[in-house]
């Protein structure tokens, strides 16, 4: 990444998704001093409307962008947006599409945009952890057009995880294993529930508090099923396997995140409960089972953590509840909803490379997205 300068060619930016992360991203983007920023914000698309101002009159840093978007009568039209961005590329302009949604429909358009020369930057995990055919199309379109796809914020929010992994592999290091606490929700729950002591708060009460704090999805089962961690592990696995200099590994071919071996923490009788309220009402029925796991871990002087593992040497990708010694970094270094990732490699051995910090939140996620955009300069 080169320093920003006023002499650089403009990069015209279109943003799809203006929710929590999207709004924070726009505010961070517009906070870059205009005299040194090469970025020109030309389009905003929400779930109900769109605003396209064109390259001659980009949205100014001090403009009330929310009011401008709200005043637009144009409905969202990604086909029309694609045509306009493609025209800009045809005019030899540099263009970046920022997808701040979690939409599969938007993710499905990445190959189209990349093929047309539009760079794609996103925290949306769907394209990189879903159907392997879509992922293959993304790689192919990027290679053929030269347009980049950057997805640092898909794992660890604003934490640098994807970029260091790519650099490790590109420089010839051999990844042996990646393990970490990848879910901010699961991190909070088990930091509170399991501290090394034989007793503590009830599992159901910790989950309920996590929901009240906004750490969980509206339906906590959507966190406890481990799917979010499985998606992140799929992204890491594919990043290793698709690297040009990557040596063949024994990693399984992940057709989607559903191929990951996941240990769900949803008690079997609670599977399929339709609402989060009913789920939380029933969860105390299983507090004794979780307390028993905590007690057993304490007897071994260990804590419980929900961990994701990409075991390249062992050919396994899995997510589940594990026990770690009370002096292990997973026990001592985490607070709140922090993430922590360990890279065990040929070079980083026997001491792994450790990355840790806030792994959730709009501000740090938006920072990760903006950091990717800066890589285009």
């Amino acid at each position: 990444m080169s320093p920003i300068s006023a002499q650089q060619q403009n990069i015209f930016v279109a943003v799809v998704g203006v929710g929590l992360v999207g709004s924070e991203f726009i505010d961070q983007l517009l906070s870059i001093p205009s005299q040194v920023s090469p970025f020109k914000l030309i389009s905003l698309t929400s779930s109900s409307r769109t605003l396209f101002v064109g390259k001659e009159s980009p949205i100014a840093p001090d403009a009330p962008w929310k009011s401008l978007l709200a005043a637009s009568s144009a409905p969202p039209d990604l086909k029309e947006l694609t045509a306009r961005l493609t025209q800009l590329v045809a005019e030899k302009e540099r263009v970046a599409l920022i997808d701040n949604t979690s939409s599969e429909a938007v993710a499905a358009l990445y190959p189209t945009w990349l093929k047309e020369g539009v760079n794609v930057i996103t925290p949306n995990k769907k394209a990189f952890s879903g159907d392997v055919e879509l992922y293959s199309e993304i790689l192919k379109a990027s290679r053929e057009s030269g347009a980049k796809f950057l997805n640092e914020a898909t794992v660890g929010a604003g934490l640098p995880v994807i970029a260091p992994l790519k650099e490790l592999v590109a420089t010839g290091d051999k990844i042996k294993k990646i393990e970490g606490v990848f879910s901010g929700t699961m991190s909070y729950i088990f930091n509170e529930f399991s501290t090394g002591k034989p007793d503590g708060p009830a599992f159901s009460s910790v989950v309920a508090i996590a929901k009240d704090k906004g750490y969980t999805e509206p339906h906590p089962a959507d966190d406890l099923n481990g799917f979010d961690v499985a998606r992140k592990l799929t992204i890491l696995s594919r990043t290793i396997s698709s690297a040009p200099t990557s040596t063949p590994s024994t990693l399984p071919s992940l057709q989607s995140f559903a191929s990951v071996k996941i240990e769900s923490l949803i008690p079997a009788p609670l599977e399929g409960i339709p609402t989060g309220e009913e789920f939380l009402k029933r969860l105390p029925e299983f507090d004794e089972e979780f307390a028993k796991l905590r007690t057993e871990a304490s007897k071994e002087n260990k804590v419980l953590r929900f961990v994701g593992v990409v075991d390249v040497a062992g050919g396994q990708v899995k997510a589940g509840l594990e026990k770690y010694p009370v002096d292990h970094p997973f026990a001592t270094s985490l607070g709140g909803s922090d993430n922590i990732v360990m890279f065990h490699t040929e070079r980083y051995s026997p001491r792994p490379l450790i990355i840790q910090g806030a792994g959730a939140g709009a501000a740090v996620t938006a920072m990760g997205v903006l950091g990717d955009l800066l890589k285009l300069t």
Side-chain angles (χ1 to χ4, degrees), residues 44-340:
L44 302 172
T45 301
S46 71
S47 58
S48 59
R49 64 194 74 232
T50 192
L51 173 69
F52 192 94
V53 297
K55 69 177 184 178
E56 304 302 333
S57 53
I59 298 172
D62 57 351
W65 66 264
K66 290 183 180 179
S67 299
L68 293 174
L69 179 60
S72 173
S73 59
D77 188 337
L78 294 180
K79 185 177 181 180
E80 175 65 19
L81 177 62
T82 301
R84 288 178 167 179
L85 298 183
T86 299
Q87 179 57 37
L88 285 173
V89 175
E91 295 169 8
K92 307 300 182 184
E93 302 289 2
R94 300 185 69 197
V95 181
L97 186 291
I98 315 297
D99 171 24
N100 288 311
T101 75
S102 59
S103 166
E104 292 185 0
V106 178
L109 290 170
Y110 294 176
T112 299
W113 289 326
L114 290 166
K115 195 177 300 181
E116 298 295 346
V118 176
N119 299 288
V120 175
I121 298 171
T122 184
N124 186 347
K125 294 184 278 289
K126 299 295 173 61
F128 309 102
S129 62
D131 188 89
V132 71
E133 290 184 12
L134 174 59
Y135 183 69
S136 298
E137 289 175 11
I138 289 170
L139 294 178
K140 183 173 183 288
S142 177
R143 282 196 304 268
E144 292 179 352
S145 72
K148 295 182 179 179
F149 68 90
L150 297 165
N151 62 314
E152 183 64 74
T154 56
V155 179
L159 293 177
V161 176
I162 301 290
L165 175 58
K166 288 180 177 179
E167 290 172 7
L168 288 169
V169 177
T171 57
D173 202 354
K174 301 294 186 294
I175 308 298
K176 297 179 180 178
K177 183 169 71 171
I178 302 172
E179 60 180 330
V181 176
F182 293 97
S183 164
T185 304
M186 294 292 208
S187 179
Y188 174 82
I189 289 173
F190 285 99
N191 290 339
E192 295 294 313
F193 178 72
S194 179
T195 62
K197 298 177 182 178
D199 54 10
F203 184 77
S204 62
S205 69
V206 174
V207 174
I209 292 171
K211 184 176 184 298
D212 289 341
K213 287 179 176 288
Y215 289 146
T216 75
E217 296 292 335
H219 197 320
D222 292 335
D223 293 294
L224 297 179
N225 60 18
F227 285 4
D228 178 64
V229 176
R231 284 189 180 279
K232 294 169 183 175
L233 296 177
T234 301
I235 292 168
L236 294 175
S237 298
R238 289 176 174 175
T239 301
I240 295 170
S241 299
S242 63
T245 58
S246 180
T247 55
S249 73
T250 55
L251 284 176
S253 177
L254 299 176
Q255 297 304 305
S256 78
F257 75 94
S259 304
V260 174
K261 183 180 179 182
I262 308 170
E263 178 192 351
S264 172
L265 297 188
I266 302 172
L270 303 190
E271 289 279 4
I273 286 183
T275 68
E277 290 72 18
E278 185 181 352
F279 180 85
L280 287 176
K281 187 177 180 180
R282 293 278 311 279
L283 192 56
E285 298 172 21
F286 303 90
D287 280 340
E288 191 174 328
E289 293 180 20
F290 284 101
K292 183 179 179 182
L293 294 174
R294 176 173 57 194
T295 301
E296 290 172 351
S298 177
K299 288 178 180 178
E300 299 175 32
N301 207 28
K302 293 181 177 179
V303 298
L304 298 170
R305 294 293 182 263
F306 193 88
V307 173
V309 177
V310 177
D311 186 352
V312 181
Q316 194 174 41
V317 183
K318 62 180 182 177
L321 204 57
E322 301 286 351
K323 292 183 285 188
Y324 287 87
V326 293
D327 59 354
H328 190 278
F330 289 0
T332 63
S333 299
L334 293 173
S337 59
D338 285 356
N339 282 185
I340 184 168

Side-chain angles (χ1 to χ4, degrees), residues 356-377:
Q356 69 180 78
V364 290
T365 303
M367 180 190 72
V369 177
L370 182 57
D372 272 349
L373 182 60
L374 288 166
K375 291 169 188 171
L376 297 181
T377 62

